Amino acid sequence: MAADHNLTYPLIQDLDFKLADELRLTHGFPEDLSKIYLQFGIDVPKTNGNSNWKLPMPARYLVDNDGLIRDAAINPDYTKRPEPNDMLELLAMLT
């Protein structure tokens, strides 16, 4: 993906949620909710490609060239994301 889009920064793939778990960015499902999801044909482990009944929370970190986290946005509600213009302002402050 990085090569296809000429990205100049590294991408992280966290298939088993090891990093997301360490950062406390995952949430699991109670057994009764898992059964309801399956009744609707939503097989979370199959989608994950593993046996995890987990989903990651959307998170965005702004990391500077020294590896310091300058800003973070985390929300368990996947519909609430940082505004792109706000991100551009933060990036401008770092350059």
Side-chain angles (χ1 to χ4, degrees):
M1 179 184 248
D4 289 346
H5 297 284
N6 298 317
L7 301 179
T8 58
Y9 51 86
L11 296 178
I12 298 171
Q13 187 175 21
D14 190 18
L15 294 177
D16 291 322
F17 302 128
K18 290 178 184 174
L19 179 60
D21 284 341
E22 189 175 321
L23 297 172
R24 297 188 207 166
L25 294 175
T26 59
H27 62 87
F29 291 79
E31 188 175 338
D32 56 340
L33 184 57
S34 301
K35 290 178 183 178
I36 293 170
Y37 268 58
L38 287 172
Q39 288 174 354
F40 285 102
I42 302 169
D43 189 338
V44 173
K46 183 178 179 183
T47 301
N48 286 341
N50 54 39
S51 61
N52 292 326
W53 273 95
K54 292 182 187 178
L55 287 176
M57 286 187 280
R60 188 261 304 137
Y61 294 94
L62 179 60
V63 182
D64 70 13
N65 288 332
D66 295 323
L68 296 174
I69 297 173
R70 296 298 182 169
D71 192 66
I74 304 164
N75 195 320
D77 182 348
Y78 72 93
T79 65
K80 296 186 178 166
R81 306 284 177 108
E83 289 294 324
N85 285 336
D86 294 342
M87 184 67 182
L88 292 174
E89 287 178 26
L90 290 168
L91 286 170
M93 289 174 17
L94 290 179
T95 56

